[in-house]
Amino acid sequence: MSFYLQHGYGKSTKIQDIQDGSTLDGVILSPADEDQESLSSTVALCQGRGLVPLLDPQTYIYSFSPLGSGKKHASHGLDFNGIHWSIGNQEQARLIETIGKANQDIGIAGPFIAPSCLQVGFDDVWTSLAVNLARSASDRWGSDATIASVVLDESALGNWNAISDWLDVVTTLEVRGFYLVVNRRSKDYPPRTWDSVGLANLLRIIYVLAELNEYELYFGYSDIVGQLGVAVGASAACSGWHYSLRTFNQQKWQPQPPGGRAPAPRYFVDKMWTTLRVDPELDALLRLPLRDRIFSQPFIDHFDAEGLDGWSRTDAQAQQLLTLSNRCSTIAARGGPRSRVDAVAGSLGGAGRLFAEIASTGVVLPPDYRSQVVAYQRALEHLDSQESL
């Protein structure tokens, strides 16, 4: 396996459409977006099509400050109204029983994603709670039925010594795998450029858990950077159709002022590792002499015949997910981590050269696009210098 959909509202036929055009393996389900009856139907749809459904219980939102809330959680019995780091064994057991029942009520017999909380570091009180919840879930559900949740703030990724000590503990857990989510400090899309050392440490976590210790590893809300995760051993990258399903930010779950504009349609240019705004960025590149080195011929033909006026957000969502799914499958099929990482590094090098050529034509793109690619390259280089791939 290599790619899971991050489920959300307004799914329409997206699950079927993505599976029909790619190598989709499963779906991470959101109890905040569908009530019990509707989510039961989604589970049946997934199972009928051979897709693995996993329910993210989203308990971590009740450890946020301000407190988060899930619109449909009450329908599943998952509205916990606050989780404190000091909760005892009985309360932990109640959480786990409730989540097991929520899974069973919608037709999932296992494996189950365990409850967790937001960790702002690797040596704080919340870290202890997350580990204890994983242990308690494994005791109740069995190791093969338990996927531990690790929900990190990106600021936690800068201290490798603390991460290493944490890894010494979590690699003793008797669980099937881990569901890993990183809270980014900005809810903008595309997200702000990763700190390369922090990203390298995140990739090292994935490498140690998945490649060295052979746990399953589901890299939640990972979008484009999920390809790096698959390269270093993740079982699956996860991404969804809306921008809020491609990058995780706790503000999504907290009260926000009304208003805002609809997101602009984008196009994922895989050779550039970048999503471009259709107008004016994509349009400008499609008019360059070197466009055949950036885009596929069928897409160029489509542009020549019809332009981009009809390119909708729905088209953009499907194109990105289909492309990501197939790219993750291609990376995973390359065998060991050395081969996978070399292939990804080569692709990133090609992206860097394309950015340089585009700049030489006079077309100006936001600098964050290129800096993101550089951050990916540096993260892989740092990983390579620290781990024996």
Side-chain angles (χ1 to χ4, degrees):
M1 58 182 169
S2 59
F3 192 78
Y4 272 53
L5 274 179
Q6 202 87 47
H7 165 266
Y9 70 90
K11 68 180 185 299
S12 183
T13 61
K14 291 186 176 76
I15 293 174
Q16 301 95 306
D17 294 343
I18 301 306
Q19 185 188 25
D20 289 345
S22 72
T23 54
L24 183 64
D25 300 293
V27 181
I28 305 290
L29 298 170
S30 168
D33 290 299
E34 290 187 306
D35 61 23
Q36 186 182 106
E37 182 179 357
S38 296
L39 206 54
S40 297
S41 298
T42 301
V43 169
L45 167 70
C46 293
Q47 293 170 336
R49 295 179 68 92
L51 298 172
V52 177
L54 296 174
L55 180 71
D56 176 2
Q58 299 168 341
T59 52
Y60 42 78
I61 72 172
Y62 298 107
S63 68
F64 293 166
S65 180
L67 196 69
S69 63
K71 185 176 180 181
K72 304 287 186 179
H73 278 188
S75 174
H76 303 274
L78 297 175
D79 51 337
F80 295 112
N81 193 33
I83 295 175
H84 195 265
W85 60 264
S86 64
I87 63 172
N89 293 337
Q90 287 188 335
E91 182 64 15
Q92 291 179 37
R94 186 182 75 83
L95 285 176
I96 291 158
E97 287 294 329
T98 301
I99 290 165
K101 183 177 185 301
N103 275 271
Q104 293 162 359
D105 285 347
I106 59 172
I108 296 177
F112 308 136
I113 296 177
S116 194
C117 49
L118 176 65
Q119 295 177 219
V120 296
F122 283 92
D123 53 4
D124 63 0
V125 291
W126 292 106
T127 303
S128 298
L129 175 60
V131 171
N132 288 333
L133 285 169
R135 283 203 183 103
S136 298
S138 179
D139 289 343
R140 176 64 182 87
W141 299 332
S143 58
D144 196 52
T146 304
I147 297 172
S149 290
V150 180
V151 185
L152 307 171
D153 189 86
E154 68 174 308
S155 63
L157 295 169
N159 185 348
W160 179 254
N161 289 333
I163 295 171
S164 181
D165 291 343
W166 172 81
L167 283 169
D168 288 341
V169 174
V170 297
T171 51
T172 67
L173 292 175
E174 295 182 2
V175 295
R176 178 180 185 133
F178 292 85
Y179 174 54
L180 176 62
V181 175
V182 178
N183 177 52
R184 302 301 310 276
R185 287 302 182 91
S186 169
K187 64 179 181 178
D188 295 338
Y189 192 87
R192 70 178 189 181
T193 301
W194 279 90
D195 170 76
S196 60
V197 174
L199 178 56
N201 288 341
L202 176 60
L203 297 178
R204 292 177 73 185
I205 291 170
I206 296 171
Y207 176 74
V208 171
L209 292 176
E211 195 67 36
L212 299 186
N213 288 277
E214 299 182 339
Y215 290 107
E216 292 178 4
L217 194 295
Y218 301 86
F219 190 3
Y221 297 88
S222 56
D223 200 41
I224 294 172
V225 79
Q227 297 168 93
L228 303 184
V230 171
V232 299
S235 306
C238 312
S239 189
W241 35 92
H242 303 301
Y243 295 156
S244 61
L245 298 173
R246 297 180 186 178
T247 184
F248 186 87
N249 180 268
Q250 69 183 77
Q251 292 180 48
K252 168 187 174 180
W253 305 94
Q254 295 164 332
Q256 300 294 316
R261 295 178 300 173
R266 288 181 172 270
Y267 183 89
F268 176 41
V269 185
D270 55 344
K271 291 181 181 179
M272 297 173 65
W273 286 68
T274 301
T275 58
L276 299 175
R277 290 176 65 101
V278 170
D279 181 24
E281 298 163 1
L282 180 63
D283 183 77
L285 295 193
L286 279 163
R287 299 181 189 280
L288 294 178
L290 55 80
R291 66 179 187 171
D292 60 327
R293 295 179 38 219
I294 303 174
F295 305 101
S296 68
Q297 192 58 49
F299 186 67
I300 292 172
D301 293 341
H302 169 85
F303 171 75
D304 289 342
E306 302 181 32
L308 296 173
D309 290 343
W311 187 259
S312 67
R313 283 192 296 275
T314 300
D315 295 326
Q317 291 166 355
Q319 184 267 337
Q320 177 138 340
L321 292 172
L322 288 166
T323 305
L324 269 179
S325 176
N326 288 323
R327 280 174 66 87
C328 286
S329 177
T330 299
I331 293 167
R334 293 193 65 89
R338 177 77 274 160
S339 176
R340 297 194 300 265
V341 168
D342 285 348
V344 168
S347 178
L348 289 168
R353 290 188 291 274
L354 273 178
F355 274 108
E357 290 189 63
I358 291 167
S360 71
T361 69
V363 172
V364 178
L365 296 174
D368 284 354
Y369 294 170
R370 190 172 186 178
S371 64
Q372 190 76 275
V373 170
V374 172
Y376 295 160
Q377 291 175 299
R378 290 177 177 169
L380 287 182
E381 290 166 0
H382 185 79
L383 165 82
D384 213 1
S385 71
Q386 301 297 316
E387 303 289 348
S388 301
L389 299 183

